[in-house]
Amino acid sequence: MDDLETRLAKLARHGDREAFETLVDLYQDKMYYLAFRMLGNAQEAEDVVQETFLRVYMNLERYDETHKFSTWIYRIANNLCIDRLRRRKQVYSLDAETVEGEGMDGYDVLSIDEQSPAEQLVLSETQETVRQAIDKLPDKYKSVVILRYLHDLSLQEISDILNIPVTTVKTRVHRGREALRKKLDGKNLI
């Protein structure tokens, strides 16, 4: 996949619109889920996705083909989310939007074939509680927790995206987990 993405980026750099559209198709949902998880707002997430692809398109000549394309695009989206969070001045809403008709997002949808309505309700409430706890994490922990556990990225990939040492990523993952544990401890979820 990395070779494909690098080839597509090269083609797009030289004006191939179809190559760029393919990159958008490959990453649009991933960028949306990242932005939605970090921002908790569907409209803002869509705005971040648009801005991410605009920046990718405008800066294709700056893409270093010796690095993974995914690292580059995640870094752009993550930085845009952090900028938006900073502008909010740490105002978090307990009533953050959800994607209408889809639950929270693709990561929150679990197989519920064999569950009773009561079990489904408990699961839904648990997911909402965890989402709210993640929303309340400080930005530096929120980013690594989302990238690690919701996007299943390696510590090295997170290090590359955030441009921080792997040891710092490990520390932030650990501290983020501990902060989540403290927030969820009284809720009988862990």
Side-chain angles (χ1 to χ4, degrees):
M1 178 89 122
D2 293 335
D3 292 336
L4 170 64
E5 293 167 357
T6 302
R7 281 184 282 150
L8 290 170
K10 283 181 187 178
L11 290 169
R13 180 184 295 155
H14 296 293
D16 187 330
R17 287 181 183 238
E18 287 183 33
F20 187 74
E21 288 174 17
T22 302
L23 287 171
V24 170
D25 289 342
L26 287 171
Y27 281 97
Q28 187 170 9
D29 290 343
K30 293 175 185 176
M31 296 302 102
Y32 177 80
Y33 291 134
L34 171 68
F36 184 78
R37 276 310 207 161
M38 289 188 70
L39 301 170
N41 180 290
Q43 183 60 49
E44 278 191 294
E46 290 172 7
D47 292 346
V48 165
V49 171
Q50 287 180 351
E51 180 69 19
T52 298
F53 285 111
L54 178 62
R55 288 192 183 190
V56 166
Y57 185 77
M58 300 301 288
N59 294 292
L60 274 169
E61 72 281 349
R62 296 176 65 196
Y63 167 59
D64 181 356
E65 296 161 9
T66 62
H67 294 90
K68 292 172 70 171
F69 182 83
S70 61
T71 300
W72 187 59
I73 194 168
Y74 268 103
R75 180 181 293 158
I76 292 169
N78 186 70
N79 288 342
L80 289 169
C81 289
I82 288 172
D83 288 346
R84 282 182 178 261
L85 289 170
R86 284 183 183 142
R87 283 192 299 252
R88 283 187 191 171
K89 299 181 183 175
Q90 301 297 331
V91 176
Y92 295 102
S93 169
L94 295 177
D95 301 321
E97 287 184 42
T98 58
V99 179
E100 200 170 309
E102 295 179 16
M104 299 283 292
D105 62 39
Y107 291 102
D108 291 321
V109 179
L110 301 175
S111 175
I112 53 175
D113 296 336
E114 302 292 325
Q115 295 177 338
S116 70
E119 290 171 326
Q120 291 175 27
L121 178 62
V122 169
L123 177 62
S124 176
E125 289 173 352
T126 301
Q127 289 170 340
E128 178 64 15
T129 302
V130 171
R131 185 191 63 76
Q132 287 176 4
I134 290 172
D135 283 349
K136 292 178 183 176
L137 287 175
D139 294 344
K140 64 183 179 180
Y141 300 142
K142 184 187 229 184
S143 293
V144 296
V145 166
I146 290 170
L147 291 170
R148 179 74 177 123
Y149 297 110
L150 301 180
H151 288 272
D152 201 29
L153 297 179
S154 71
L155 297 175
Q156 183 61 55
E157 289 173 316
I158 297 169
S159 169
D160 293 342
I161 290 166
L162 299 178
N163 202 24
I164 58 176
V166 173
T167 53
T168 304
V169 173
K170 287 181 186 178
T171 301
R172 288 183 183 179
V173 166
H174 174 73
R175 290 181 181 165
R177 263 195 331 248
E178 289 302 311
L180 273 177
R181 182 173 287 123
K182 287 178 184 174
K183 290 181 184 308
L184 298 173
D185 194 28
K187 304 196 186 307
N188 297 322
L189 296 175
I190 53 176

